[in-house]
Structure formats: structure tokens, C-alpha cells
Amino acid sequence: MKKIFLTGAGLSASTLIKYLLDNSEKYDWRIRIGDVSVDTVRQKINGHKNAEAVKFDIFNEAQRDEEIKNADIVISMLPARMHHLTASSCIKYKKNMVTASYVSEELKAVKDDVEKSGILILNEIGVDPGIDHMSAMKIIDGIKEKGGKITAFRSYTGGLIAPKHDNNPWNYKFTWNPRNVIVAGQGPAAKIIVNGKYKYIPYHQLFKRVTATEVEGYGEFEVYPNRDSLKYRKSYGLEDIPTMVRGTMRRPGFCKAWNVFVQLGATDDTYTLENSENMTYRDFINTFLRYDPNASVEKKLAEYLQIDEDSSTMYKLRWTGIFGNERIGLKNASPAKILQKLLEDKWRFEEDDRDMLVMQHKFEYELNGVKKEIKSSMVIEGKDHTHTAMSATVGLPVGIAVKMILNKKINDKGILIPIKKNIYEPILEELKDYGIEFNEEERDI
Amino acid sequence: MKKIFLTGAGLSASTLIKYLLDNSEKYDWRIRIGDVSVDTVRQKINGHKNAEAVKFDIFNEAQRDEEIKNADIVISMLPARMHHLTASSCIKYKKNMVTASYVSEELKAVKDDVEKSGILILNEIGVDPGIDHMSAMKIIDGIKEKGGKITAFRSYTGGLIAPKHDNNPWNYKFTWNPRNVIVAGQGPAAKIIVNGKYKYIPYHQLFKRVTATEVEGYGEFEVYPNRDSLKYRKSYGLEDIPTMVRGTMRRPGFCKAWNVFVQLGATDDTYTLENSENMTYRDFINTFLRYDPNASVEKKLAEYLQIDEDSSTMYKLRWTGIFGNERIGLKNASPAKILQKLLEDKWRFEEDDRDMLVMQHKFEYELNGVKKEIKSSMVIEGKDHTHTAMSATVGLPVGIAVKMILNKKINDKGILIPIKKNIYEPILEELKDYGIEFNEEERDI
């Protein structure tokens, strides 16, 4: 019998929990799931005999130590900033640990302790980061094994609404954390490399620097660059690659309209607006425009940002209700908070909606003097409102990795991300059983 | 005999030191001037018998205590963040202190100690802040005494190049700290109020939200809003004023061209560019533009930001050398640092150049049912490269205040700024002797 301890039973853990429960009989697993909300856990395990719900506080060291000491493996689905707490107990009791999050600075800081204790902390094994690493490394290793030289790598991901439920002019709904969407791209300039030239794109230009791409069977998407395009050059063994871009996918037209909010300053989360509780959404937008009692808010905005009043961008804006006289009703709110409140209502992921996760890699490489292109795309739609595409793509790789570690198919040690063949190959293989499969097209260019 | 201790003998202290020396015989003053560079001080006192140069380290508590204990009054012309150190010794030995800087948070924190020790720490008595407070308060108090009601207050300041030496297409030179000019306006959105409506302007729009103004005898200027327009509403007794804007003055066309750097991201000081030491200025600008080997950098920039290639904005840009093939030669440099290096060369304040300080207040008020406007403007040009307009307008109010405190014409206590009549009136009066005088025009509107 193997004991699994999972902390954090939020949105992204639904499919992971289902995977663990479904496999628990076959592999003789006992699963304890700790969360601040024990009801959330109970709902998800639904009386399954191999699982137990625990009210769990990660900041309670004694409880944390006790749970981890008794486990064979630990999964942390809490926010990334809390992983180092879980890790500290895993190091103490020599337990392997798996997370779907980026390797935090706090985690990097205990690298030596992890190595000394001889455990594995496997991170970034969700979707993005996770499936992106694994599917990219499969192609990269494949090209290298043939003796090819990779000259360009573009990698795009989007968490979107499935086509059948895509029924608003933005072609977008909040299938994931709304706040992350509102502040996406803020911070230092995005950095990409194109034909050996570094390119820096500040936040206020990000949604103008869009490229188009096509996904077989799903039509056209647009992509804006992520801030961290070059972060994995070294991990992927692509130190000298002339072109590398990572980006976020939206449906065409989204970025042009979103850019209006960016240009106005309506996505700013660094200060609060005077008297926000008594404002209407129309007042809110007007606060970013010059004073002129003789011009409508719509007209002032269109003039300020040089948009046609009859454009689809203005239609998208009007559709949100941003020009409406509804009261916001938020005290001491930042622009970002107000915008989030408006859009949470309009971009609501309804109970009968289904989400969609799209990922695409584009490689260019040279082999025997011939230039070739590989386009590898994956689309998966959600099963229902709980077992979403996002939850599946985040949770299944975690679950499979946990199984492989328990079954000693993964015996690596240290703080790792899934870029090694012995890890990514069987995981990608099993993901196919769940419909998570890349469609690869190759052509000479 | 009175002993004055002055710390900080940098650029802004030149005219102040001259004022103190010139008055030292009449009032029997002995002036000790402490600076990290004792040579800088010696140059400025030039063997004057009433002055002494001391090598001084503000972080050396024993030395600080010793100097301040022996003084009758202390002037701090060091960077604002160091004033609380000076203040701590002034509190200990019950010595009055004068600074030209904003009241820092550290200084506010010792308010109670200052009051208990019964001393005066008079701050913000340079030009901006300083002369702006005093000249504005004179008009505000005047209108209120007549029974008028102030409905609008706009206040503008610019440190510029004198017309005779204004010989480049930007009509601008670095007569003051270049770095402050490069990063001006960065941070949270600027906040103004217009006819009772708050308006917020993010950095990337600041240089588009320009208004024009005229100064008698000096022609037209343009003004962009400062970040802190509403900071002094309460201090000025204008809590309910419907319109209040503070701004920075430039010559027409400056902001439109500067905005190009802002839009590109070339003023960003938060990250460093890869391989900056081997870049040319042309590479630098190209790094913010899309990759296209078939279009010139000039063409790409003009298209990206929708500027005519034959516009005066493009002329200003070409004139800086930003499209040139000169190597930058700075390692690990931020965009802001590179831009500063280029412009320090081009906007150099030459030895025979003279600077100019412009200040203008515009008030609207109602009196007996009549709406009136007061426009109050001051322009002063520098005497020479050392005794600049900036140095005079910063240093003379400090010197006069010191004299008044020593002569017991100012007997106030606590942490103050010069908004009280007994302080601003005699100082403004004496400033006239030095050519610092406001020209007031009033008209019905």
C-alpha cells in the first residue's frame, strides 16, 4: 500500500483527484487530501473508500510535518509561493514531491538540501508549464537525433472557450483565474529573439505586437508574446537558437480591443481611484479621458485612441457595459479590480459552458541542407464545468508522474522539470489515452 | 557671532553659498561647509575668511553630532533621503534646520520628537518645491482676504535653456539632473482634478496629454501633468477646489518627440539589455521594433508609431543620433541609461550656456458674481554656468530663510513648509532684489 498526500483541492485539482481515485484500486493507493476547506475536498472525493479529506493549514508546521512524515509521496497544488513550506517537510522526512508550478526562488534556494536528502521535487508538470516542456522536448530531441539544426521555435498556449460555447464578441470567457488575465503581461518588457536580434516589448505595446496562427480544424488565432520567452533556452538545449518566442493565444480581434484598456490605464492595479464606490462604469472609463462636457465618453475614447466608432473594437467595448450607468459598488478599488468586476459578469464561464486548451509549437530546422518546418498542435475541450480542459491538462501529467514515481519508473533526484526523455516520453504516451495528443505536420520550406 | 553649518556643496548650493558669504560680514556669521569632497567646497568658498571647508560624512554619527552641536543653525543640501540623519542630531542638540527638499517619510516619522525639542525644521524652501508654494500662497491668501472663491489653480514649472542659448531642435538641454529627466513621470498614474472630475493619466499617455500656455515676453510653452498634482490641496487650503493641475513646462513639440522614447520603452530603467556593450544606438532603437531586414529602422519606427517621416518629430529623433552607428559602450545597461548617455552628449549644458527657470500660476476665482483670472509668471535666467537660474531659485530662498531664523524674524516651530504669510511674504520680497519676481496679470473672464 502506498500513501499519497495531496495539499490544495482547488479548481485545478479536480481531474488530478479523479485520476488518483480511479487508479487507487489497481495500485493500492490511500489518498489523503488536505485543504483549508474540507468541504471542497469531500465534494471531490464523493465518499471514495481510498480517499480521506483533512482540514489542512500549510502554515501549521506540526500538522504539515505529521502528514508528510506519514506519506510516501506529496503533491502540492497550493499557490507556488507556498511550495517551499511543503518542500521543507519533504526534505526533513525524505519524501518525493510533485508540483505543477514554476520553480520558485525559495525552492531554488534549498537545492543543496534537496540533493543531500536524496529526494525528487518534480515541478512544472502541469500544462503551461508542463505539457509545453514535454511536447517541445520530444520534437527537439527528435530533430537533434536526426542531426538537424533548430533555427526557430515558437510556442503558443491559450486557455479559451470551446467553439460551441463561444458566443460573445470577444470570443473569450474566464475559464481560469480572472485576475491573471486582467494583469497579464505587466512588469518588465517582454523579451524575444528573432533571427539573432533581441526584441523588447513594453507592456503598453504588447497587445499591438500580435501575430496570427492557424490550428487545423479550429481556425485562426492571434498570439501576443509572453514576458518570459527566453527563460527555457538553456533547459531546452537551445542556447544559440536565432529565433524563439513564447506567446498566449486569443481569438482574432481580442488583443486590439484589450489594448484599449491597457492604453487607458484601466488594467493598473498599483493605485486606487478616489470615490470608486460611487462611480458608474461610464464614470470609470471617463476618468481616463480628458474633461469635455460637450463630447460623449464614447466619442472621446474613440478620438483619444484613434478607433473608428463603428469598428468591431468599439462594439466589443460597448458590449462589456463599460459605457453603462451601472454602479460599480467597490470601495477603494484599483482600475484593475473594477475592470475585473465588470468582466467577471460578462465573461462568465457558465455551468453548461465547456473550455478549450490550445497549444501549438512551430519549429524550423535544417537537415542535410533542406529547411523544414514542424507544426505541432494540440486542442482539448473540457468534459464538464468541473473537469475542464484546464483541469485535465494541469492534473493528468501530475497524476501520471506520481504514479511513475511510486512505481519506480522515475528514479531521478533533485529539483527537476520534465525535460528528460525518460520522464516526458511515457507521460506524453499515457496522455493520449485522455485525448491529449499533438497533431504534427511537417513540410519543406 | 552666529555659526551656520551647511552639509552638501553640490550644484544646487552654489548661489546659496555665495549668499551666505556675501551676508556673513554684516551679520557676523561663521559658515562651516561639510561635503564628501572638500575640494568642491574650497572652490566655492574661494578663501573667504568667514567660511571653512570640512570633509564630512553624514553617516559618521560622531562627526555629525560634533558639527551640529557647535552650530547655531543647520542647512541640509544633501539628497532628501539623508535629511533624517541630519534631523536626528538637530533634535538631540535643539538646533533649527533648513532644507530645500520634500518632507520625507522618515522626517514625518520624527514629528513628535521635533515638536518636543522645540526646534524648527523648515523644508521645501527651494524653487519647486519652494518658490511655487510661496508665490501661490500669496495669491491664494490675497483672493481669500478679498472674499473671493478659487475655482481653478494650475501651476507649472520648467527648468529650461535660456532663449539665447536655445539652439537645438528639442529646445532643451540638461540644465539639471539628467536621470530625473529621463525617468520623469514614471510610477503610478498622474492624478489631476478638472471641474470636480478626477482624471488619471498613465505614464504611457502622459506626454500626449499636453496643454499650451504663454509667458509674456518668452512665447509659448507646453505642459505635461506632474504625478503629484493634488498633493498640496490641503496645505494650500483648497480642499474643495474643482480644478487643480501641476505640470512641467517644455517648449512646444518636445513632448510629442519625447513620447516616441516612452512608447518604444526606451526610458525603462527596470531591466538591462543583452549585450548592450556591443550595440550601436541604431541597434538600441531597433531592439524595440519588429524584425524586418527589408525596412530601415527609421521606416519601421515611423510606421510603428504612426509618425510622418518628414515630421519635426522625426527630425528631432534623427538629430539625437539615435539612428547612428556609434557604439554605446555601456555594459549591462538599462534602456534609460543608454538614452541618458546619448542625450547627455547632445543636450549638454555647455560652459557658456545659460539656463532659465520658468514658473507660472493660473488662478480662476469668483468675486461678487464676477469670474476672474490671475496669471502670475516668473522667468529668471542664469548668471553663469555655476550660478544658474536653478541654483539661484533653489539657494536664495534657503539663504533668506536662514537669515530670518537667525535674526528671529521666523520663530515658528515644528516640521514646516513655507505656506505661512509671515514666512513667504518677506522671502518673496527679498527675492525681488535678485530678479526673482512674478509678473501678475488679472482679467475678467
Side-chain angles (χ1 to χ4, degrees):
Chain A
M1 189 193 74
K2 295 283 182 190
K3 286 175 286 182
I4 299 170
F5 181 62
L6 164 62
T7 70
L11 267 179
S12 60
S14 308
T15 304
L16 167 62
I17 292 172
K18 185 173 184 324
Y19 180 90
L20 296 176
L21 298 176
D22 289 351
N23 281 278
S24 61
E25 207 52 31
K26 178 172 174 191
Y27 295 106
D28 197 16
W29 292 341
R30 294 297 172 278
I31 304 144
R32 279 176 75 82
I33 304 178
D35 197 282
V36 281
S37 158
V38 75
D39 283 342
T40 304
V41 182
R42 288 209 184 101
Q43 235 172 7
K44 289 192 174 154
I45 61 182
N46 194 21
H48 197 289
K49 70 178 177 64
N50 293 331
E52 208 173 334
V54 197
K55 188 166 171 61
F56 182 74
D57 171 13
I58 185 72
F59 298 104
N60 179 338
E61 193 182 336
Q63 188 189 18
R64 199 172 70 221
D65 275 1
E66 185 63 20
E67 290 295 344
I68 289 174
K69 193 170 66 182
N70 292 326
D72 293 298
I73 192 164
V74 177
I75 308 170
S76 182
M77 297 298 281
L78 295 170
R81 65 180 189 283
M82 299 176 181
H83 291 335
H84 69 284
L85 296 169
T86 315
S88 71
S89 302
C90 287
I91 292 165
K92 204 190 293 181
Y93 299 105
K94 299 190 194 303
K95 306 294 179 177
N96 295 321
M97 168 176 161
V98 179
T99 88
S101 318
Y102 289 105
V103 180
S104 67
E105 289 307 315
E106 291 90 340
L107 204 53
K108 281 180 198 161
V110 296
K111 185 172 174 284
D112 289 350
D113 296 336
V114 170
E115 282 164 12
K116 249 182 275 171
S117 82
I119 61 167
L120 165 65
I121 300 186
L122 183 58
N123 307 277
E124 305 191 12
I125 187 145
V127 55
D128 177 4
I131 296 178
D132 57 343
H133 292 327
M134 297 190 284
S135 51
M137 283 311 300
K138 191 184 162 201
I139 298 171
I140 292 167
D141 286 343
I143 294 171
K144 285 186 176 174
E145 280 161 19
K146 285 193 291 190
K149 187 177 154 39
I150 299 169
T151 56
F153 174 34
R154 295 178 175 86
S155 181
Y156 311 143
T157 308
L160 297 158
I161 185 76
K164 269 196 183 172
H165 306 269
D166 183 348
N167 54 7
N168 75 44
W170 291 77
N171 307 113
Y172 189 79
K173 296 186 185 182
F174 281 133
T175 59
W176 199 238
N177 185 331
R179 195 193 125 82
N180 289 354
V181 176
I182 303 288
V183 302
Q186 295 185 18
K191 184 177 167 187
I192 63 178
I193 189 165
V194 184
N195 286 358
K197 306 284 183 196
Y198 288 101
K199 299 291 177 186
Y200 300 85
I201 308 164
Y203 175 61
H204 62 270
Q205 300 290 0
L206 204 58
F207 295 92
K208 293 183 203 166
R209 296 282 281 270
V210 165
T211 51
T213 195
E214 180 105 14
V215 176
E216 180 76 22
Y218 284 86
E220 197 181 321
F221 295 83
E222 65 185 17
V223 182
Y224 68 86
N226 292 350
R227 283 203 291 123
D228 62 347
S229 278
L230 305 181
K231 197 172 159 190
Y232 295 103
R233 263 193 304 187
K234 214 179 148 202
S235 317
Y236 290 0
L238 300 173
E239 286 92 338
D240 300 321
I241 194 166
T243 297
M244 185 160 167
V245 180
R246 289 167 67 96
T248 298
M249 299 172 98
R250 294 287 180 259
R251 285 296 191 177
F254 178 97
C255 292
K256 200 179 173 78
W258 185 255
N259 187 46
V260 169
F261 294 131
V262 174
Q263 292 308 312
L264 291 174
T267 62
D268 197 328
D269 202 28
T270 63
Y271 69 91
T272 59
L273 295 173
E274 296 267 352
N275 200 25
S276 63
E277 69 272 34
N278 294 317
M279 274 182 165
T280 65
Y281 287 106
R282 192 175 184 82
D283 293 336
F284 169 62
I285 281 304
N286 197 17
T287 205
F288 301 113
L289 301 169
R290 70 190 160 78
Y291 179 83
D292 181 354
N294 300 317
S296 72
V297 175
E298 290 86 344
K299 192 162 210 74
K300 287 194 294 181
L301 182 139
E303 277 176 16
Y304 187 37
L305 301 179
Q306 297 172 302
I307 312 166
D308 284 338
E309 277 199 79
D310 60 359
S311 63
S312 66
T313 295
M314 281 300 281
Y315 169 51
K316 287 187 184 71
L317 296 172
R318 286 193 302 270
W319 177 88
T320 64
I322 199 84
F323 298 116
N325 285 313
E326 199 188 320
R327 266 178 64 136
I328 298 164
L330 283 179
K331 230 177 162 173
N332 297 323
S334 68
K337 291 272 186 318
I338 293 171
L339 188 58
Q340 181 175 335
K341 189 176 180 207
L342 176 75
L343 294 176
E344 272 180 343
D345 199 40
K346 292 291 172 169
W347 288 352
R348 188 184 302 280
F349 183 46
E350 305 283 357
E351 190 58 37
D352 57 353
D353 278 341
R354 299 294 169 262
D355 73 332
M356 170 170 79
L357 199 294
V358 189
M359 190 177 286
Q360 186 176 64
H361 305 302
K362 285 174 163 177
F363 286 93
E364 291 170 26
Y365 72 100
E366 289 173 27
L367 181 65
N368 306 325
V370 183
K371 289 190 174 182
K372 290 165 177 288
E373 188 195 65
I374 293 178
K375 193 163 132 179
S376 174
S377 313
M378 184 272 285
V379 183
I380 180 166
E381 298 184 17
K383 279 213 172 67
D384 57 43
H385 196 264
T386 307
H387 300 95
T388 58
M390 188 66 91
S391 154
T393 50
V394 170
L396 290 170
V398 171
I400 298 168
V402 165
K403 184 180 71 177
M404 287 172 61
I405 296 167
L406 288 175
N407 294 349
K408 305 218 182 296
K409 305 284 186 197
I410 294 176
N411 298 297
D412 302 77
K413 303 295 170 203
I415 298 177
L416 297 185
I417 66 171
I419 50 174
K420 290 175 66 184
K421 202 172 193 167
N422 67 308
I423 299 177
Y424 70 68
E425 209 163 46
I427 295 180
L428 287 175
E429 203 49 43
E430 186 172 337
L431 283 174
K432 290 180 186 171
D433 300 343
Y434 298 89
I436 301 172
E437 183 164 10
F438 282 80
N439 167 35
E440 221 171 90
E441 306 160 60
E442 181 155 7
R443 62 177 188 102
D444 292 357
I445 48 176
Chain B
M1 190 191 73
K2 293 285 182 188
K3 285 176 289 180
I4 299 169
F5 181 62
L6 165 62
T7 71
L11 268 177
S12 61
S14 307
T15 303
L16 167 61
I17 292 172
K18 187 174 182 320
Y19 178 90
L20 296 176
L21 298 177
D22 289 351
N23 282 276
S24 63
E25 206 52 33
K26 178 173 174 192
Y27 294 107
D28 197 15
W29 291 341
R30 294 297 171 278
I31 304 143
R32 277 175 76 83
I33 305 178
D35 196 281
V36 281
S37 158
V38 75
D39 283 342
T40 304
V41 183
R42 285 206 186 102
Q43 237 173 7
K44 288 192 174 154
I45 62 181
N46 194 21
H48 196 289
K49 71 178 177 61
N50 292 332
E52 209 172 334
V54 198
K55 189 167 173 58
F56 181 73
D57 172 12
I58 186 73
F59 297 104
N60 179 337
E61 193 182 338
Q63 188 189 19
R64 201 172 69 220
D65 276 1
E66 184 65 21
E67 290 294 345
I68 289 174
K69 191 170 69 180
N70 291 327
D72 292 297
I73 192 166
V74 176
I75 309 170
S76 182
M77 297 297 280
L78 294 170
R81 65 181 187 281
M82 300 177 180
H83 290 336
H84 69 284
L85 296 169
T86 315
S88 71
S89 302
C90 286
I91 292 165
K92 204 191 291 183
Y93 298 105
K94 298 190 194 302
K95 306 295 180 176
N96 295 320
M97 169 174 158
V98 179
T99 89
S101 319
Y102 289 104
V103 180
S104 66
E105 289 306 314
E106 291 92 339
L107 203 54
K108 280 180 196 160
V110 296
K111 184 172 173 283
D112 288 350
D113 297 335
V114 170
E115 281 165 11
K116 249 182 273 168
S117 82
I119 62 168
L120 165 65
I121 300 186
L122 183 58
N123 306 278
E124 305 192 12
I125 187 147
V127 54
D128 176 2
I131 295 176
D132 58 344
H133 292 328
M134 296 190 284
S135 51
M137 284 310 301
K138 190 183 162 200
I139 298 171
I140 293 167
D141 286 343
I143 294 170
K144 286 185 174 175
E145 280 160 19
K146 284 194 292 190
K149 185 174 157 40
I150 299 169
T151 56
F153 174 34
R154 296 177 175 86
S155 180
Y156 310 142
T157 309
L160 296 158
I161 186 75
K164 269 194 182 172
H165 306 269
D166 183 347
N167 53 9
N168 75 43
W170 291 77
N171 307 113
Y172 189 78
K173 296 186 185 182
F174 281 133
T175 60
W176 198 239
N177 186 331
R179 195 191 125 81
N180 289 355
V181 176
I182 303 288
V183 303
Q186 294 185 16
K191 184 177 167 186
I192 64 178
I193 189 165
V194 183
N195 285 359
K197 305 283 183 197
Y198 288 101
K199 299 290 177 186
Y200 300 84
I201 308 165
Y203 175 60
H204 61 270
Q205 301 290 1
L206 203 59
F207 295 93
K208 293 184 204 165
R209 296 283 281 267
V210 164
T211 52
T213 195
E214 180 105 15
V215 176
E216 180 76 22
Y218 284 84
E220 198 180 320
F221 295 84
E222 65 184 18
V223 182
Y224 68 85
N226 293 350
R227 283 201 292 123
D228 62 347
S229 278
L230 304 181
K231 197 173 160 187
Y232 295 103
R233 264 193 303 187
K234 212 179 150 202
S235 316
Y236 290 0
L238 300 173
E239 284 93 339
D240 299 320
I241 194 166
T243 297
M244 186 161 166
V245 181
R246 289 167 67 96
T248 298
M249 301 172 96
R250 294 288 180 256
R251 284 298 191 175
F254 178 97
C255 292
K256 199 178 174 77
W258 184 254
N259 187 45
V260 170
F261 294 131
V262 174
Q263 292 308 312
L264 291 174
T267 62
D268 197 327
D269 203 27
T270 63
Y271 69 92
T272 60
L273 295 174
E274 296 267 350
N275 200 24
S276 63
E277 68 272 33
N278 294 317
M279 273 182 166
T280 64
Y281 287 107
R282 191 174 184 84
D283 293 335
F284 169 62
I285 281 305
N286 198 17
T287 206
F288 300 112
L289 302 169
R290 71 190 158 81
Y291 179 82
D292 182 352
N294 300 317
S296 72
V297 175
E298 290 86 343
K299 190 160 212 76
K300 287 193 295 182
L301 183 139
E303 277 176 18
Y304 187 37
L305 301 178
Q306 297 171 302
I307 311 165
D308 284 337
E309 277 199 81
D310 61 357
S311 63
S312 66
T313 295
M314 281 300 280
Y315 169 51
K316 287 188 186 69
L317 296 173
R318 286 194 301 271
W319 177 88
T320 63
I322 201 85
F323 298 116
N325 285 312
E326 199 187 322
R327 267 177 62 134
I328 298 163
L330 282 179
K331 233 177 158 170
N332 297 323
S334 68
K337 291 273 186 320
I338 294 172
L339 188 59
Q340 182 175 336
K341 191 178 178 207
L342 176 76
L343 295 177
E344 274 180 342
D345 199 40
K346 292 291 172 169
W347 288 351
R348 187 182 303 280
F349 183 46
E350 304 283 356
E351 189 58 39
D352 58 353
D353 278 342
R354 300 293 169 264
D355 73 331
M356 170 170 82
L357 200 296
V358 189
M359 190 176 284
Q360 187 177 64
H361 305 301
K362 285 172 161 178
F363 286 93
E364 292 171 26
Y365 72 99
E366 289 172 26
L367 181 64
N368 306 325
V370 183
K371 289 189 173 183
K372 290 165 177 285
E373 186 195 66
I374 293 177
K375 190 162 133 178
S376 173
S377 312
M378 183 273 286
V379 184
I380 181 168
E381 299 185 16
K383 279 213 170 68
D384 57 44
H385 195 265
T386 307
H387 299 94
T388 58
M390 188 65 91
S391 153
T393 49
V394 170
L396 290 170
V398 172
I400 298 167
V402 166
K403 184 181 73 179
M404 287 171 60
I405 296 167
L406 288 175
N407 293 350
K408 306 216 181 298
K409 305 284 184 197
I410 296 175
N411 298 298
D412 302 77
K413 304 296 173 202
I415 298 177
L416 297 185
I417 66 170
I419 49 174
K420 290 176 63 184
K421 202 171 193 169
N422 68 308
I423 298 177
Y424 71 68
E425 206 162 48
I427 295 179
L428 287 174
E429 202 50 41
E430 186 172 337
L431 283 174
K432 290 181 186 170
D433 300 343
Y434 298 88
I436 301 170
E437 184 165 10
F438 282 79
N439 167 35
E440 221 170 89
E441 305 160 63
E442 182 155 7
R443 64 180 185 98
D444 291 358
I445 48 175

